[in-house]
Amino acid sequence: MRTLFTLVLFIVSTASSISPLSQGSIVVDGNGTQLTYTDSGAPDSHPYTTIFAVNGMGFNGGIFSKIQTLAPSRQLRIVAVNRRGYAGSTPFSTYEQNVILNGTADQQAEFSRNIGVELLMFMDEFIQDHNISVFNGDKNSAGGVAVVAWSIGNMAGLSAIAHIEDVPEATRSRLASRIRSFIMQESSSNALGLPAPAQNWVPLDISDPTIPAAQQYTAFAQWVTAYFDHGNLSSRDPDVISWVVPSSFTPFTIFNMTVSQYNTIVDTSINPALDADQLALAPVLEANYRASNFNSTLRGLLPHMENWFITGTRSASFGPYCIWVVEDDNAAAGGGFVNFMTIDGVNHFMHWDDPELTLSVYQSMILS
């Protein structure tokens, strides 16, 4: 199913509608590995749906703070999970860094598996700690859990779904009775382990080593937040995509942040190259992507889960391109495994620039 989502909202916000975010961390294995998070808290009305949102490259979970503050008014609870190395989550060890760069195929597969299992254990512990309700099977009612994996955060999100068999039975049962939606928001094809097109460009070493190393992430943080003027995307022609040059007429998302917001959200505590380096684990990433989406036996372990891929019409090139790739894979698998939505006028950071619209998009997928 393919949907073009266009929505105009006229909303008056009041101070009383904004709730403070709580912070915490959860230990996810026997080695003391922890993942930090912020939590919008439980809405006053029950049941409500809990969304676990997984951050992308270079931007920690603070990028979800705007939708978190609005979540309770929508019968939503949003938990922004910080991936390893971000905002106090346990950094990768020297051994793990070596595995990313130089490990054997088996070592890299184990590394990816561990990342996925850590996220599953995080969700299960949060579910137990906060008595998160099961999904009753009624697609039109709230309750249960959705997972939003944003951008390169799909590496962790897809690994979690792909390794649902690798957690204890009690954990698997709790997750299976609650997970109702898995949303791939604006992934790149290489985060799914699939080849990037020849036209692909980002201001990092993987595309342009001429940019001085000390300036690459500043350049990336600007470029990826831009708006792009693509051609007719319905043509599915890669030549209509603006691969490099953003629009000259729409301010980048980063220009809508204060210095304080930028310094809080743009996370320099992790070397962004460690995220980019993980893209080299293509065979493992592809196996996770295909298992999570197209393996009927594995999908049967999460019987309520509906999978979605969403992108914006003005996002950086990798989002509009990747939706075509996943559409083709879905068709080749017989169709019906993944639903698709293209949101008109938004870029890679719709949850920051248009939080009301973003929540409406999420709810349209969760309640479907």
Side-chain angles (χ1 to χ4, degrees):
M1 181 175 68
R2 178 70 178 268
T3 305
L4 177 63
F5 196 99
T6 305
L7 181 65
V8 179
L9 295 167
F10 298 91
I11 293 171
V12 178
S13 297
T14 64
S16 62
S17 68
I18 298 178
S19 59
L21 305 180
S22 62
Q23 302 180 36
S25 64
I26 291 176
V27 175
V28 293
D29 64 16
N31 300 317
T33 304
Q34 67 175 7
L35 299 179
T36 63
Y37 66 90
T38 56
D39 174 22
S40 65
D44 292 334
S45 58
H46 292 254
Y48 59 84
T49 304
T50 301
I51 297 176
F52 292 104
V54 184
N55 68 298
M57 185 170 77
F59 294 79
N60 64 38
I63 198 64
F64 298 111
S65 60
K66 287 190 174 183
I67 58 173
Q68 285 182 293
T69 59
L70 297 172
S73 66
R74 298 290 196 98
Q75 281 186 273
L76 295 172
R77 181 177 199 161
I78 299 181
V79 181
V81 187
N82 290 299
R83 294 187 297 114
R84 293 282 299 280
Y86 284 94
S89 290
T90 302
F92 293 128
S93 66
T94 300
Y95 171 77
E96 288 171 317
Q97 293 181 45
N98 288 335
V99 167
I100 292 170
L101 296 172
N102 302 303
T104 66
D106 286 346
Q107 288 173 327
Q108 291 178 342
E110 181 183 21
F111 165 81
S112 178
R113 171 200 172 277
N114 291 344
I115 294 299
V117 169
E118 289 166 8
L119 181 56
L120 292 171
M121 298 308 292
F122 173 93
M123 292 190 290
D124 182 46
E125 186 63 34
F126 191 94
I127 285 168
Q128 293 181 77
D129 290 347
H130 298 276
N131 196 28
I132 302 301
S133 65
V134 300
F135 172 50
N136 66 10
D138 180 359
K139 293 183 177 182
N140 295 313
S141 67
V145 163
V147 181
V148 174
W150 174 57
S151 195
I152 208 170
N154 276 279
M155 294 191 301
L158 289 166
S159 179
I161 302 302
H163 293 98
I164 188 66
E165 291 182 286
D166 293 342
V167 295
E169 172 59 32
T171 294
R172 185 162 64 248
S173 177
R174 279 187 290 268
L175 293 171
S177 64
R178 289 166 173 82
I179 296 179
R180 58 188 295 174
S181 301
F182 180 76
I183 300 168
M184 296 171 280
Q185 181 177 338
E186 292 267 324
S187 180
S188 62
S189 58
N190 49 9
L192 307 182
L194 306 175
Q199 303 97 317
N200 188 61
W201 185 89
V202 292
L204 296 169
D205 265 341
I206 56 176
S207 292
D208 192 344
T210 65
I211 300 174
Q215 298 176 21
Q216 284 188 9
Y217 188 66
T218 301
F220 173 78
Q222 291 186 13
W223 178 86
V224 77
T225 71
Y227 285 76
F228 291 79
D229 295 325
H230 305 300
N232 179 13
L233 294 174
S234 66
S235 69
R236 304 179 93 251
D237 179 357
D239 289 338
V240 308
I241 292 177
S242 180
W243 291 95
V244 178
V245 180
S247 174
S248 299
F249 306 106
T250 307
F252 299 6
T253 299
I254 209 166
F255 301 149
N256 294 324
M257 294 182 181
T258 66
V259 173
S260 175
Q261 288 170 332
Y262 177 93
N263 289 336
T264 300
I265 295 168
V266 179
D267 202 328
T268 57
S269 63
I270 183 173
N271 178 1
L274 285 176
D275 271 343
D277 288 337
Q278 290 178 65
L279 297 175
L281 278 59
V284 177
L285 299 177
E286 182 178 4
N288 292 340
Y289 156 67
R290 297 200 181 281
S292 299
N293 288 290
F294 309 118
N295 184 319
S296 297
T297 301
L298 185 142
R299 290 283 299 267
L301 297 176
L302 297 168
H304 303 301
M305 185 178 72
E306 297 282 339
N307 287 18
W308 287 83
F309 190 103
I310 62 172
T311 190
T313 60
R314 302 196 65 192
S315 294
S317 54
F318 52 81
Y321 175 79
C322 191
I323 197 171
W324 299 339
V325 173
V326 180
E327 284 177 335
D328 289 344
D329 284 345
N330 183 61
F337 290 94
V338 184
N339 302 292
F340 301 91
M341 185 179 293
T342 298
I343 303 98
D344 190 36
V346 306
N347 74 345
H348 194 53
F349 289 77
M350 71 174 187
H351 39 286
W352 184 266
D353 284 346
D354 202 335
E356 290 280 8
L357 173 61
T358 301
L359 292 181
S360 293
V361 168
Y362 290 167
Q363 287 186 303
S364 73
M365 291 180 286
I366 294 167
L367 303 175
S368 65

